[in-house]
């Protein structure tokens, strides 16, 4: 018979994403989320203490003949099972982090709880692209490519126009596309390569050099500019280096003022939880959303099924949801299933 | 010792493998007498398995002890029991017992061993034979009552939960709300609590705290934080309370200080005096002001003075506050004295260099130095985005720093930023 805390934990297993603020180490984010989840889990009402029957002797009659000995049977609670003695029910939870974000960057950070960690591993073994927004500034070059590092060089930037920037970005994109083809280990002259390219399946397997699959400028106001990047297997330091190299290509210098991850695989900014929502209740809701969106995706990926089968699938899915989730939400889903069928 | 056991293990291993099938896994608390013989066979085999397991030697002392005590009562066994009875139920003797039992085992146990080695039917046959002896023997009522069931209190354990049901002190402490689980993780505290006697040690001190004015509901919190208040002598506790009262702290203030800083009364009068003197001289505060900040933050009297001296130096040199400004800040927000230096500098840097707030404004609303850096940054950036980041009181549309940091999110959005909470959360995702 699972306790309320264990039932709540079952509902917490899955993936969700948070918005990591800049200036904070990813480990602190993970630790504070684990603390909040533990707080929520241990706040659930605990089981009542088991009772034990003990024979308590009356004090005065111990030395007398046994005929005078009176033992009273009393039912006392077993204190060794009390949470103040045995500790809280949950003492740590496995919260795993997806692709890490260093302290300087901000943005979407995917976390997994319990069984969700296995899904996390699988997710990062497949080829998953990420979206970043890079804010840069012309005129300075620093040692760690950020605007807070030690300045190495200063230069003018009046000669830079948007046209020149676009040309440099196109050149970089071309180079990256070539790298993509090279790392995909397929003979470019074969039919197989063409089919894979058509479906968008060309890409490196496993670890490889960082590749930018998309690069464009969304804002240009010298000295500031903002780039949007889609990339694979990258690190944030590499992206800052890209900004630095763009500055060099334009015969000037550039530093990166901010990196923001707007998408990590299928997790977007929309689903990300801000700091004020890092509580057990909000995280449970986010995980529920993730599970339901996963089911939607599975259904949409199998369009060959007949409509009749589909509705029965809906009904069974709804029934499953009912079983797993709270009564209130279950009722809503029941209503939805009834209106559908 | 362990090596010896290991060699014994190799000899007994084979036997144990066969005997293990007959191990009965019942608990030892409530046992009928007719199981005694079975227990004997099985506990002996259990002893052998314990030897073979080697490492488990030091665990499960309960079974060994209880089995030894059972044997003490059952006097009608072979000379094997005589060997057991001569042994004392002490840890260091256990190894000798086991050595002896192994040496003794081969000879007298052979008959029973043969029984055990035979099929189960034959074992049960033997059981019935012996059961008759024990169950149907009539004993007087005195003997019946005299047989005390062996208590399962282990002589050594890593946790207090084995002792909490038996010890009156621990039971009463749990009822008061003391978190024993947290306390047993501190070294030696668990044994100290076990050794206390409730009526002689704990009760007088709780009564003393009650006299001082501490509420009953706070006892659990105080003992969980500071279990050593139960070992401090009553005269010392009384002297320290008298000292505080002599410094013109009212009794309610003393009560609130003791309940919020559990370690307070463990410090000597000299140390308390030293600290009060330091705050008075270093900060140049009057006596009533010193009393005020100490009453509001009693842990100023508990910790070491070095971090506080460093904080004062930071305020003076790095942040550039004048002496009277520091005085004012400390009187309104005494927590600045115990704040983390790095975080203090970070917040001040953001306030002064990014938000362009001058020193005198920070002194006027010192609560800004007490907030979380992320919170301040989010709110300031939101106001800046909306064009409302104006902190100078002389100009129109002025935002007071106090309200900026102390208001909850919703009020901040509606009153100061004139926007909605959702907008604020959306904006946070663009930072």
């Amino acid at each position: 018979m699972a306790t309320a805390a264990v039932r709540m934990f079952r509902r917490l297993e899955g993936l969700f994403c948070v918005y990591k603020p800049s200036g904070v180490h990813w480990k602190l984010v993970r630790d504070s989320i684990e603390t909040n989840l533990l707080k929520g889990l241990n706040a659930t009402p605990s089981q009542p203490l088991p009772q034990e029957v003990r024979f308590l002797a009356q004090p005065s009659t111990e030395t007398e003949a046994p005929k005078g000995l009176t033992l009273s049977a009393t039912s006392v609670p077993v204190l060794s099972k009390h949470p103040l003695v045995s500790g809280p029910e949950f003492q740590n939870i496995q919260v795993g982090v997806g692709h890490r974000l260093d302290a300087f960057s901000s943005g979407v950070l995917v976390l997994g709880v319990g069984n969700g960690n296995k899904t996390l591993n699988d997710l990062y073994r497949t080829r998953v692209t990420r979206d970043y927004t890079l804010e840069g500034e012309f005129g300075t070059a620093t040692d760690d490519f950020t605007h807070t590092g030690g300045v190495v060089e200063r230069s003018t930037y009046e000669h830079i126009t948007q046209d020149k920037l676009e040309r440099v970005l196109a050149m970089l994109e071309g180079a990256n596309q070539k790298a993509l083809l090279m790392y995909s280990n397929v003979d470019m002259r074969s039919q197989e390569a063409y089919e894979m390219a058509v479906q968008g399946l060309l890409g490196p397997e496993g670890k490889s050099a960082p590749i930018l699959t998309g690069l464009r400028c969304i804002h240009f106001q010298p000295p500031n500019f903002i780039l949007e990047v889609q990339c694979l297997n990258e690190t944030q330091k590499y992206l800052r280096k890209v900004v630095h190299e763009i500055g060099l290509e334009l015969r000037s210098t550039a530093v990166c003022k901010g990196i923001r991850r707007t998408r990590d695989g299928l997790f977007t900014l929309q689903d990300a939880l801000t700091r004020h929502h890092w509580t057990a209740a909000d995280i449970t809701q986010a995980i529920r959303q993730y599970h339901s969106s996963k089911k939607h995706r599975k259904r949409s990926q199998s369009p060959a099924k007949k409509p009749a089968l589909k509705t029965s699938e809906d009904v069974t899915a709804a029934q499953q949801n009912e079983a797993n989730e709270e009564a209130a939400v279950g009722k809503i889903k029941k209503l939805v299933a009834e209106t559908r069928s | 010792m362990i090596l010896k056991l290991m060699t014994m293990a190799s000899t007994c291993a084979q036997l144990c493998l066969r005997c293990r099938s007959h191990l009965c896994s019942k608990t030892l608390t409530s046992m009928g007498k007719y199981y005694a013989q079975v227990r004997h066979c099985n506990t002996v085999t259990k002893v052998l398995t314990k030897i073979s397991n080697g490492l488990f030697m030091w665990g499960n002392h309960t079974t060994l002890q209880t089995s030894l005590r059972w044997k003490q009562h059952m006097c009608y066994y072979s000379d094997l029991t005589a060997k057991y009875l001569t042994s004392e139920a002490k840890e260091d003797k256990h190894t000798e017992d086991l050595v002896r039992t192994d040496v003794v085992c081969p000879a007298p146990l052979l008959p029973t061993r043969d029984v055990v080695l035979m099929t189960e039917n034959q074992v049960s046959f033997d059981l019935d034979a012996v059961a008759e002896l024990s169950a149907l023997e009539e004993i007087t009522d005195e003997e019946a009552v005299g047989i005390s069931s062996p208590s399962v209190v282990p002589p050594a354990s890593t946790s207090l939960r084995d002792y909490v049901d038996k010890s009156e002190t621990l039971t009463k402490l749990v009822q008061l709300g003391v978190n024993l689980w947290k306390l047993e993780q501190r070294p030696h505290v668990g044994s100290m609590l076990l050794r206390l006697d409730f009526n002689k040690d704990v009760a007088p001190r709780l009564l003393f705290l009650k006299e001082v004015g501490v509420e009953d509901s706070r006892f659990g919190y105080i003992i969980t934080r500071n279990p050593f208040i139960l070992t401090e002598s009553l005269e010392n506790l009384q002297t320290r309370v008298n000292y505080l009262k002599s410094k013109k702290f009212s009794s309610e203030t003393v009560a609130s200080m003791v309940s919020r800083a559990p370690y307070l009364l463990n410090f000597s009068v000299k140390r308390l005096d030293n600290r009060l003197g330091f705050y008075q001289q270093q900060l140049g505060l009057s006596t009533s002001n010193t009393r005020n900040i100490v009453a509001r933050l009693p842990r100023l009297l508990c910790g070491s003075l070095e971090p506080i001296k460093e904080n004062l130096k930071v305020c003076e040199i790095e942040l550039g506050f004048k002496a009277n400004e520091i005085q004012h800040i400390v009187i309104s927000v005494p927590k600045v004295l115990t704040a983390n230096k790095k975080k203090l500098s970070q917040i001040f840097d953001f306030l002064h260099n990014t938000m362009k707030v001058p020193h005198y404004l920070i002194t006027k609303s010192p609560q800004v130095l007490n907030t979380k850096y992320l919170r301040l940054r989010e709110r300031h950036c939101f106001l800046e985005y909306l064009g409302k980041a104006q902190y100078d009181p002389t100009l129109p549309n002025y935002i007071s720093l106090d309200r900026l940091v102390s208001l909850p999110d919703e009020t901040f959005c509606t009153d100061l930023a004139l926007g909605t909470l959702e907008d604020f959360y959306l904006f946070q995702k663009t930072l």
Side-chain angles (χ1 to χ4, degrees):
Chain A
M1 179 53 198
T3 62
V6 175
R7 281 199 297 269
M8 188 172 172
F9 182 68
R10 294 267 169 270
R11 268 177 260 140
L12 271 177
E13 291 185 313
L15 296 178
F16 65 102
C17 61
V18 297
Y19 190 88
K20 182 188 96 70
S22 75
V24 173
H25 198 271
W26 62 265
K27 211 166 185 209
L28 280 179
V29 171
R30 195 212 73 90
D31 287 343
S32 57
I33 292 214
E34 192 182 335
T35 318
N36 288 348
L37 286 178
L38 279 173
K39 254 195 249 177
L41 281 173
N42 290 326
T44 52
S46 53
Q47 304 271 48
L49 287 181
Q51 304 269 345
E52 189 184 62
V53 175
R54 260 186 250 162
F55 294 95
L56 303 174
Q58 302 309 324
S60 55
T61 57
E62 264 175 22
T63 49
E64 282 182 22
K67 284 179 196 150
L69 192 76
T70 46
L71 292 170
S72 58
T74 42
S75 173
V76 285
V78 174
L79 280 179
S80 56
K81 302 271 190 298
H82 195 278
L84 282 182
V85 180
S86 61
E89 208 172 323
F90 280 90
Q91 286 173 19
N92 52 20
I93 308 181
Q94 298 200 319
V95 176
V97 175
H99 194 91
R100 300 190 285 266
L101 270 175
D102 64 353
F104 178 75
S105 345
S106 60
V108 172
L109 184 66
V110 179
L111 297 163
V113 179
N115 286 340
N117 288 317
K118 288 188 216 151
T119 329
L120 208 61
N121 272 334
D122 297 333
L123 184 67
Y124 288 108
R125 234 174 280 145
T126 64
R127 213 178 306 127
V128 142
T129 56
R130 285 162 213 120
D131 259 2
Y132 286 87
T133 311
L134 305 174
E135 288 164 26
E137 190 183 345
F138 290 120
T140 350
T142 55
D143 50 4
D144 63 350
F145 313 129
T146 64
H147 66 299
T148 51
V151 174
V152 167
E153 193 183 321
R154 281 193 210 275
S155 62
T156 58
Y157 49 84
E158 284 88 14
H159 59 278
I160 302 177
T161 61
Q162 182 143 16
D163 184 43
K164 286 191 192 156
L165 180 65
E166 300 278 342
R167 226 178 286 168
V168 167
L169 294 181
M171 188 263 299
L172 272 176
E173 223 182 319
N176 273 289
Q177 194 71 352
K178 221 174 168 183
L180 181 78
L181 296 175
M182 200 173 65
Y183 278 108
S184 59
N185 285 334
V186 178
D187 185 8
M188 280 303 121
R189 297 203 203 120
S190 62
Q191 177 67 12
E192 179 199 348
Y194 171 73
E195 276 163 19
M196 279 176 76
V198 159
Q199 285 171 1
L201 291 174
L202 277 181
E205 294 296 321
K207 300 230 188 259
S208 78
I211 295 179
L212 311 175
T213 55
L215 179 62
R216 69 184 179 117
C217 174
I218 53 178
H219 180 80
F220 181 74
Q221 187 100 37
N224 301 313
F225 62 99
I226 302 182
L227 302 173
E228 195 187 320
V229 173
Q230 278 103 36
C231 44
L232 278 179
N233 286 336
E234 82 294 354
T235 57
Q236 285 81 44
K237 197 161 185 190
Y238 178 76
L239 294 172
R240 290 197 285 271
K241 195 170 170 205
V242 162
V243 172
H244 171 86
E245 278 170 8
I246 288 173
L248 290 178
E249 286 290 326
L250 288 165
R251 315 284 178 84
S252 172
T253 45
V255 285
C256 180
K257 281 206 301 192
I259 300 188
R260 231 176 89 231
R261 182 148 78 192
T262 47
R263 179 184 66 85
D264 186 343
L266 285 159
F267 294 95
T268 56
L269 260 190
Q270 230 181 355
D271 326 315
L273 297 172
T274 49
R275 225 159 42 92
H276 307 272
H277 296 304
W278 290 354
T279 58
D282 289 310
I283 293 175
T284 322
Q285 200 184 15
I287 291 182
R288 205 185 308 151
Q289 255 179 346
Y290 157 75
H291 281 305
S292 64
S293 72
K294 201 168 68 167
K295 282 205 185 81
H296 277 296
R297 251 178 285 133
K298 274 200 187 146
R299 251 178 263 148
S300 64
Q301 271 169 16
S302 55
K305 295 214 171 159
K306 289 180 250 168
L309 267 172
K310 221 181 171 182
T311 46
S312 68
E313 246 187 45
D314 285 359
V315 170
T316 49
Q319 281 174 353
Q320 257 187 336
N321 286 344
E322 229 178 277
N324 294 342
E325 293 160 4
E326 300 142 11
V329 179
K331 277 187 208 144
I332 297 171
K333 288 217 184 264
K334 216 176 180 176
L335 278 169
V336 168
E338 278 169 13
T339 49
R340 261 192 216 159
S341 57
Chain B
M1 255 312 132
I2 306 290
L3 291 171
K4 232 183 187 172
L5 297 170
M6 290 308 201
T7 49
M8 285 199 287
S10 52
T11 53
C12 300
Q14 251 194 1
L15 189 69
C16 296
L17 285 170
R18 285 187 221 170
C19 297
R20 227 173 259 186
S21 54
H22 303 301
L23 277 178
C24 114
S25 55
K26 287 193 183 146
T27 55
L28 301 164
T29 42
S30 53
M31 216 46 118
K33 272 166 78 175
Y34 53 91
Y35 277 133
Q37 182 62 28
V38 178
R39 292 300 306 152
H40 176 69
C41 294
N42 291 339
T43 42
V44 168
T45 55
K46 239 186 191 167
V47 160
L48 295 174
T49 54
K50 293 288 182 296
I51 298 168
S52 68
N53 289 335
L55 296 166
F56 293 144
M57 242 279 315
W58 303 110
N60 275 336
H61 278 118
T62 49
T63 43
L64 196 58
Q65 262 193 317
T66 46
S67 62
L68 288 174
R69 282 195 212 143
W70 269 116
K71 284 155 194 82
Q72 282 166 15
H73 292 300
M74 307 309 151
C75 310
Y76 37 83
Y77 285 116
S78 54
D79 40 345
L80 192 68
T81 51
K83 298 276 184 210
Y84 283 127
L85 283 171
T86 50
S87 69
E88 282 172 79
K90 271 192 205 162
E91 271 178 73
D92 43 0
K93 298 271 180 153
H94 281 165
T95 48
E96 289 149 30
D97 294 342
L98 294 167
V99 172
R100 260 183 282 153
T101 54
D102 193 51
V103 168
V104 169
C105 267
L109 251 191
L110 270 172
T112 47
R113 206 181 270 184
D114 292 336
V115 169
V116 168
L117 283 178
M118 282 186 262
T119 58
E120 281 190 23
N121 298 334
Q122 286 176 301
V123 169
S124 54
F125 179 69
D126 190 43
L127 277 175
D128 289 335
V130 182
E132 276 173 16
L133 255 173
S134 49
L136 300 181
E137 185 193 301
E138 290 199 11
I139 55 166
T140 61
D141 280 345
E142 285 113 0
E143 266 186 60
V145 176
I147 294 172
S148 55
S149 71
S151 71
V152 286
V153 177
S157 161
T158 48
S159 159
L160 283 178
R161 73 180 87 109
D162 301 322
Y163 302 104
V164 75
D165 288 313
K166 310 285 181 235
S167 154
E168 188 204 347
T169 321
L170 292 180
T171 317
K172 296 258 171 73
L173 284 177
V174 175
Q175 282 162 4
L176 275 175
V178 177
N179 194 339
L180 288 182
W181 177 73
K182 245 195 230 174
L183 282 179
E184 74 191 7
Q185 286 167 358
R186 287 166 72 167
H188 308 304
V189 171
S191 348
M192 180 204 81
L193 287 176
L194 257 184
R195 269 185 239 120
L196 293 174
D197 177 63
F198 190 78
N199 296 318
K200 264 188 281 175
D201 300 321
V202 184
R205 282 163 185 84
L206 293 180
L207 284 169
F208 168 77
L209 284 176
K210 198 159 176 183
E211 269 170 50
V212 170
V214 178
E215 315 246 317
D216 295 352
S217 49
R218 291 294 284 181
F219 287 162
Y221 171 79
I222 293 178
I223 300 179
T224 312
R225 290 299 195 88
N226 180 20
F228 303 108
I229 204 171
L230 300 173
T231 51
E232 194 69 33
S233 77
L234 277 170
E235 304 95 56
N236 280 343
L237 293 174
Q238 190 62 49
T239 330
R240 286 151 199 175
V241 170
N242 291 341
Y243 167 75
L244 287 173
K245 291 212 175 126
S246 76
K247 289 283 170 186
K248 301 197 194 113
F249 284 98
S250 74
S251 10
E252 297 90 34
T253 322
V254 175
S256 106
M257 278 166 68
V258 171
S259 41
R260 282 155 61 208
Y263 272 100
L264 187 67
L265 292 182
N266 274 49
F267 292 117
S268 66
V269 171
K270 185 174 168 194
R271 194 174 153 136
L272 294 174
D273 193 42
N274 192 19
R275 271 167 185 56
L276 284 172
F278 170 80
Y279 293 121
Q280 196 159 353
Q281 285 158 18
Q282 204 63 2
L283 296 167
L285 297 172
S286 68
T287 44
S288 61
N289 274 335
T290 322
R291 245 178 278 141
N292 187 7
I293 59 169
V294 167
R296 281 155 61 200
L297 194 66
R299 66 166 199 256
L300 284 176
L301 291 182
C302 291
S304 144
L305 283 179
E306 288 310 316
I308 300 185
K309 287 185 201 165
E310 285 171 18
N311 269 22
L312 286 173
K313 283 280 172 226
V314 160
C315 285
E316 200 187 306
I317 298 172
E318 207 176 312
L319 309 187
F321 282 111
K322 295 189 279 257
N324 60 336
E325 289 177 330
I326 297 181
Q327 256 184 28
H328 187 262
I329 292 174
V330 167
I331 293 178
S332 10
V333 183
K335 211 169 163 189
V336 168
L337 288 176
T338 49
N340 184 345
K341 287 179 278 289
K342 246 194 278 185
K343 292 190 186 161
L344 195 61
S345 328
Q346 195 184 31
I347 286 202
F348 180 79
D349 174 50
F350 187 74
L351 275 173
H352 194 63
N353 299 325
T354 316
M355 286 166 74
K356 310 284 183 223
V357 177
H359 280 89
Y360 76 94
L361 277 179
I362 300 179
T363 323
K364 251 180 152 179
S365 35
Q367 200 57 249
V368 284
L369 291 173
N370 196 18
T371 57
K372 293 229 181 315
Y373 171 70
L374 282 175
R375 189 177 152 110
L376 184 64
R377 194 176 70 179
E378 283 162 6
R379 292 186 173 190
H380 166 73
C381 292
F382 191 47
L383 290 176
E384 200 176 24
Y385 176 71
L386 293 171
K388 296 203 169 79
Q390 206 281 97
Y391 307 111
D392 189 358
T394 52
L395 301 171
N397 286 337
Y398 149 71
I399 303 251
S400 113
L401 287 171
D402 267 336
R403 290 190 80 200
L404 175 70
V405 297
S406 53
L407 286 179
D409 279 339
E410 192 142 2
T411 336
F412 163 76
C413 289
T414 45
D415 292 351
L416 292 184
L418 307 171
T420 59
L421 201 55
E422 287 75 34
D423 289 341
F424 186 42
Y425 293 148
L426 276 177
F427 177 75
Q428 275 178 27
K429 293 196 206 176
T430 64
L431 282 178

